[in-house]
Amino acid sequence: MRAAYISHASSMRHEMGSGHPECPDRVSVIADRLLMRGVLDFMESFDAPAATREQLGRAHDSLYVSELIAMAPAEGYRQVDPDTSMNPHTLEAALHAAGAAVLATELVVRDGFRRAFCNVRPPGHHAERRTAMGFCFFNNAAVGVRHAVDELGLERVALIDFDVHHGNGSEDIFAGDERVLMVSTFQSRLYPFNGEQARGPNMCNVPLVPYSDGAAMRAAVTDSWLPALRAFRPQLLVVSAGFDAHREDDMSHLGWVDADYGWITRQLAEVADACCDGRMVSVLEGGYCLPALARSVEQHVRAMIDLD
Ligand SMILES: [Zn+2]
């Protein structure tokens, strides 16, 4: 199968101060791990292009895009929310992170690739139509999904989010958009403290109880996600892939292990193979314990490209 690995050097230049968990090393430990373990031997590598204003405007209010571009500092930091700030390289990194999702979508929908993984930051799923928050500026996965429907003409795209935090930004953008089915799991009563009440019939939100482990996730996927996905018959799967539900990650209180990321990815790959010629795009979201992140992403990508 043809599989794409997409990244960009600007992901290493955006940083939000020493000690911030959403740090440049996140993408480098993933790249190193995939290289050292031979996974990249099975993938074609691409540099992410910058997303255009038109592409961003399909998921975000155009005034918001203009304001964020205007906020970018020439030096120092510009605070966006208590946990989120821009340095002089943030805008470039955010544009290329969103552009990675656009390229991934084109490769998979149009150019004969079956899978694409985007190793980029800043992450995106907390970014709402008009709001940057939670380490996120542009909603990368959402920009990719809207590119697939508005530009490439797909009628049904599934957005899957297994980050431990609820993808409030994606829900804000897609609630009520019947071309998109969003299925997600997240830890209840954790940042951003919403998602328990779904905002539209195209949202399948499954909160997970704090201190539950991978068994609870597997039940949610089996009982809720898979029937919804199969009924929807997506023409493309886009995954907001966060790895912060791992038991070694102190951002949350869930107890997932490396193998859970392989399992959940295999379930999704089977849906993609059954519904849409295997078309599956994955975009990095959270994951802050670097060793666990690198190992879990390896499990995820191996399962995505059928290496196991
Ligand atoms: Zn997260």
Side-chain angles (χ1 to χ4, degrees):
M1 85 157 66
R2 292 184 79 190
Y5 171 84
I6 305 171
S7 192
H8 192 266
S10 60
S11 284
M12 296 295 298
R13 295 194 282 265
H14 156 59
E15 52 83 24
M16 298 186 281
S18 67
H20 197 293
E22 208 290 278
C23 62
D25 284 350
R26 297 180 61 240
V27 294
S28 60
V29 298
I30 291 169
D32 290 350
R33 178 89 184 183
L34 295 179
L35 179 69
M36 297 291 283
R37 302 282 289 177
V39 178
L40 291 185
D41 294 346
F42 297 90
M43 307 179 83
E44 295 175 47
S45 291
F46 293 85
D47 258 343
T52 65
R53 293 285 290 262
E54 182 184 12
Q55 290 162 353
L56 297 169
R58 296 194 184 108
H60 294 284
D61 189 284
S62 59
L63 183 63
Y64 164 74
V65 174
S66 300
E67 286 173 352
L68 199 66
I69 290 171
M71 279 180 70
E75 57 186 36
Y77 297 100
R78 181 89 185 250
Q79 207 73 25
V80 173
D81 83 3
D83 306 314
T84 311
S85 58
M86 303 177 81
N87 80 348
H89 305 286
T90 299
L91 179 62
E92 184 192 19
L95 291 170
H96 286 271
V102 171
L103 174 62
T105 302
E106 290 186 342
L107 291 173
V108 167
V109 173
R110 201 182 60 191
D111 298 337
F113 283 75
R114 286 179 69 197
R115 323 277 210 232
F117 176 68
C118 302
N119 183 20
V120 290
R121 55 182 289 278
H125 76 150
H126 293 306
E128 298 185 342
R129 193 163 176 77
R130 297 181 187 84
T131 311
M133 57 184 279
F135 315 162
C136 301
F137 300 90
F138 298 126
N139 194 316
N140 309 319
V143 171
V145 169
R146 278 275 160 76
H147 188 72
V149 291
D150 289 343
E151 180 68 22
L152 303 177
L154 297 193
E155 295 172 346
R156 295 179 309 282
V157 177
L159 175 58
I160 298 99
D161 189 331
F162 57 72
D163 190 279
V164 80
H165 303 96
H166 176 54
N168 61 292
S170 306
E171 183 165 33
D172 180 62
I173 291 164
F174 292 116
D177 182 346
E178 292 183 352
R179 303 169 300 176
V180 179
L181 170 69
M182 180 175 173
V183 301
S184 68
T185 52
F186 51 90
Q187 182 185 319
S188 60
R189 300 187 294 282
L190 185 70
Y191 183 90
F193 304 105
N194 54 34
E196 314 254 345
Q197 299 293 327
R199 289 172 56 183
N202 61 324
M203 295 288 146
C204 176
N205 299 5
V206 187
L208 299 173
V209 179
Y211 304 103
S212 61
D213 62 11
M217 173 275 286
R218 293 182 190 218
V221 170
T222 303
D223 298 342
S224 298
W225 284 16
L226 295 180
L229 286 168
R230 292 199 185 104
F232 185 65
R233 292 183 300 112
Q235 296 165 298
L236 167 71
L237 272 64
V238 176
V239 183
S240 266
F243 299 86
D244 39 9
H246 198 285
R247 68 179 177 189
E248 293 169 33
D249 197 310
D250 58 15
M251 280 282 190
S252 76
H253 311 94
L254 296 192
W256 299 15
V257 296
D258 302 3
D260 288 318
Y261 291 98
W263 183 87
I264 197 170
T265 307
R266 280 190 295 279
Q267 310 312 306
L268 298 173
E270 284 176 15
V271 171
D273 289 342
C275 293
C276 50
D277 298 325
R279 292 166 168 176
M280 183 173 175
V281 163
S282 172
V283 185
L284 180 67
E285 300 285 358
Y288 304 98
C289 172
L290 298 180
L293 173 66
R295 297 192 318 263
S296 300
V297 171
E298 184 194 345
Q299 295 295 314
H300 172 61
V301 175
R302 293 183 87 92
M304 241 177 90
I305 65 176
D306 296 348
L307 267 191
D308 293 324

